[in-house]
Amino acid sequence: MVGRGDEPEVIWARPERTGRGPKPAYRRGDIAAAAVRLADAGGLDAVSMRHVAAELGCGTMSLYNYVPRKEDLYELMVDAVSGEHELWEPTGDWRADMLRVGHQTRALMRRHPWLPRLMSGIYGFSPNALRYLEHCLACLDPLEVSRGTKMELVAMLNAVVTMYVANELAVAERTRSLPWSEERETAVRIAYLGSQVATGAYPRLAATFAEGAGPVDLEAVFERALGRVLDAFTPRG
Amino acid sequence: MVGRGDEPEVIWARPERTGRGPKPAYRRGDIAAAAVRLADAGGLDAVSMRHVAAELGCGTMSLYNYVPRKEDLYELMVDAVSGEHELWEPTGDWRADMLRVGHQTRALMRRHPWLPRLMSGIYGFSPNALRYLEHCLACLDPLEVSRGTKMELVAMLNAVVTMYVANELAVAERTRSLPWSEERETAVRIAYLGSQVATGAYPRLAATFAEGAGPVDLEAVFERALGRVLDAFTPRG
DNA sequence: AGCGCATTACGTACGGCGTACGTAACTACG
DNA sequence: CGTAGTTACGTACGCCGTACGTAATGCGCT
């Protein structure tokens, strides 16, 4: 028996198929796809070993032949959706290319709202993550900074996108498991915020909220954030 | 009976004490402190309603008189450690002040390694969070940009700090619940990464890793990241 | 060809979790 | 002073991850 969780192991290093024994009934991709389907439909909490097994149509414990620990299932999921990144031929305009990367990552995370939560806890060198990283570096070829700096750029871009989307989705994901609506939850929180600001204890905060009374244009905020990150890495001439 | 989780509610809006009935035996602060103690010692997974109740010395279900849902316990925890932020009189040098804020947040998160995980999932307008935000805005008084832009600066600074610390701590937090050491886990993952890079499928990645063979200076990387975020918000003259 | 054994399949079971519910003791307000 | 609203908390339900044991399977060896 090989690696039932008693040895440190990267799941990607474990062969999908070893010589002996009956043929495995599923591929890693099948399992990842099933888990992603469940998470998309019912949130990350809907991804349990039992549910995934049921979705596949096998017994719960059979899953452990493919995935030694639940955490590895998460890694499979992250890799699977990372494969949805479109990788194009770099245009030569690194700024435009990286903007496109940022927007695409955001779209990916909105399609799979559970992704930000997993991204911040996973070490992340799955095959598709490596492909994605290589693609970013290719887009950055025209940028004249050190290789290390390019990595830092990609890291910061991902950090900003991830946290912005996470905040955007926080309420929606929270209310998913609660018996009342997202609007009601938001209203209650805004009301509390208003009451606190109205005490006068936070004058600058009060001024800010008074100024921007209308709803915030999330799209514009995100766009500005991306632009600023890229500016921060543009060599000043 | 008031708000046992059947109504949307911000825990901060609920009075700690209502008129009727026996005196509550604990204050919110006691509960938060107990939970933080457990999380610091045993990771976020050590924070269960049962454990916190035991730490306080009361029955499990008594906790629910103070905290309608577990999520609210998390909010209490985040607020409690947010109170550890040192708030000083702004110096007039907004850049220096914000650098200090960034370093302090990082220190806070290293003291409480479970914090990044909670930060990315919580809406976050607790009393201490408001105080912290107001303080940041005060530090930014000398910066001549719109109020909205200042908020965006604070948001991005927090995003970057949170994700950087989260990555820094990812392996450590992961191995906490596993039977082998952090070093062993890291070694295995690095080995896999090396094997993949060696296939030649990722030339730019390979070059990057060949170049920076030595261990990365996390301190310097973090410092540069902070600097770049602040640069991105400095009006160009 | 046929034996051996690593592997797959999966039922059962254990200890933990969040929390719904019911009951008893208690105290401020009408 | 009664009574209504609160606190305290034991019990119980339905989940969870997963250790373990057993039966079936089919590759690689002699």
Side-chain angles (χ1 to χ4, degrees):
Chain A
M1 176 186 319
V2 69
R4 274 286 269 269
D6 43 358
E7 280 274 324
E9 190 183 359
V10 189
I11 189 157
W12 311 110
R14 169 208 281 228
E16 274 215 65
R17 174 86 193 272
T18 59
R20 298 263 238 271
K23 286 186 201 169
Y26 312 99
R27 312 281 308 268
R28 238 168 239 164
D30 304 332
I31 298 171
V36 167
R37 233 177 298 133
L38 288 175
D40 286 346
L44 199 52
D45 294 341
V47 178
S48 73
M49 298 301 273
R50 279 170 238 261
H51 282 155
V52 174
E55 177 83 10
L56 281 171
C58 71
T60 303
M61 293 314 290
S62 306
L63 247 194
Y64 282 88
N65 287 317
Y66 303 87
V67 177
R69 275 163 287 107
K70 181 159 188 206
E71 278 231 341
D72 294 304
L73 181 58
Y74 287 152
E75 291 209 33
L76 253 47
M77 293 171 68
V78 172
D79 182 68
V81 300
S82 296
E84 293 179 17
H85 269 118
E86 182 199 351
L87 309 181
W88 60 89
E89 196 61 34
T91 64
D93 179 351
W94 68 269
R95 217 173 179 288
D97 279 341
M98 291 314 285
L99 273 178
R100 189 168 159 195
V101 166
H103 277 106
Q104 219 175 87
T105 305
R106 186 184 185 221
L108 189 68
M109 289 182 167
R110 293 169 138 222
R111 217 158 43 229
H112 306 293
W114 40 271
L115 193 50
R117 192 137 64 99
L118 289 190
M119 288 284 290
S120 40
I122 279 188
Y123 204 58
F125 288 120
S126 75
N128 280 323
L130 292 178
R131 262 195 284 279
Y132 163 78
L133 200 51
E134 179 74 17
H135 174 251
C136 286
L137 292 178
C139 292
L140 289 174
D141 271 346
L143 176 61
E144 291 183 346
V145 301
S146 78
R147 289 187 233 270
T149 304
K150 288 177 188 176
M151 290 288 277
E152 290 176 24
L153 191 163
V154 176
M156 188 178 292
L157 195 77
N158 274 327
V160 167
V161 172
T162 302
M163 287 301 279
Y164 271 61
V165 179
N167 278 324
E168 219 178 297
L169 296 175
V171 187
E173 284 302 288
R174 180 186 157 85
T175 46
R176 188 196 277 283
S177 62
L178 296 179
W180 54 79
S181 78
E182 179 178 337
E183 288 74 18
R184 193 135 162 55
E185 173 85 9
T186 304
V188 168
R189 297 190 99 98
I190 294 287
Y192 170 72
L193 180 57
S195 77
Q196 287 305 295
V197 160
T199 62
Y202 314 101
R204 292 172 186 81
L205 219 44
T208 306
F209 279 102
E211 193 171 276
V216 191
D217 181 353
L218 287 178
E219 210 63 30
V221 171
F222 180 73
E223 192 72 32
R224 274 198 299 273
L226 283 194
R228 279 199 254 263
V229 170
L230 298 183
D231 286 347
F233 284 88
T234 305
R236 305 213 181 186
Chain B
M1 178 185 318
V2 69
R4 274 285 269 268
D6 43 358
E7 280 276 324
E9 189 182 358
V10 190
I11 189 156
W12 310 111
R14 168 207 282 230
E16 274 215 64
R17 173 87 194 273
T18 58
R20 299 264 239 270
K23 285 185 203 172
Y26 312 99
R27 312 281 310 266
R28 238 169 240 162
D30 303 331
I31 297 170
V36 167
R37 233 177 297 134
L38 287 176
D40 286 346
L44 200 54
D45 293 341
V47 178
S48 73
M49 297 302 272
R50 280 169 236 262
H51 282 156
V52 173
E55 177 83 8
L56 282 171
C58 71
T60 303
M61 293 314 289
S62 307
L63 248 194
Y64 283 89
N65 287 317
Y66 302 87
V67 177
R69 275 164 286 106
K70 180 158 189 210
E71 278 231 342
D72 293 305
L73 181 58
Y74 287 153
E75 290 209 33
L76 252 48
M77 292 171 68
V78 172
D79 182 68
V81 300
S82 296
E84 293 179 18
H85 268 119
E86 183 200 351
L87 309 181
W88 60 89
E89 196 60 34
T91 64
D93 179 350
W94 68 269
R95 218 174 179 287
D97 280 340
M98 291 313 285
L99 273 178
R100 189 167 159 196
V101 165
H103 277 106
Q104 220 176 87
T105 304
R106 186 184 186 219
L108 188 68
M109 289 182 167
R110 292 169 140 222
R111 214 155 49 228
H112 306 293
W114 40 269
L115 193 50
R117 194 137 65 97
L118 289 190
M119 288 285 290
S120 40
I122 280 188
Y123 204 57
F125 288 120
S126 74
N128 281 323
L130 291 178
R131 260 194 286 278
Y132 162 79
L133 199 52
E134 180 72 18
H135 173 250
C136 287
L137 291 179
C139 292
L140 288 175
D141 270 346
L143 176 62
E144 291 184 345
V145 300
S146 77
R147 290 187 233 269
T149 304
K150 288 178 189 177
M151 291 288 277
E152 290 176 23
L153 191 164
V154 176
M156 188 179 292
L157 196 77
N158 274 327
V160 167
V161 172
T162 302
M163 286 302 278
Y164 271 61
V165 180
N167 279 324
E168 219 177 296
L169 296 175
V171 187
E173 284 301 288
R174 180 186 156 85
T175 46
R176 187 195 279 281
S177 63
L178 297 180
W180 53 79
S181 78
E182 179 178 336
E183 288 75 17
R184 192 133 162 57
E185 172 86 7
T186 304
V188 168
R189 297 190 99 99
I190 294 285
Y192 169 72
L193 180 57
S195 77
Q196 287 306 296
V197 160
T199 62
Y202 314 101
R204 293 172 185 82
L205 219 45
T208 306
F209 279 103
E211 193 171 278
V216 190
D217 182 353
L218 287 178
E219 208 64 30
V221 172
F222 180 73
E223 191 72 32
R224 274 199 299 275
L226 284 193
R228 280 198 253 262
V229 170
L230 298 184
D231 286 347
F233 284 87
T234 306
R236 307 214 181 187

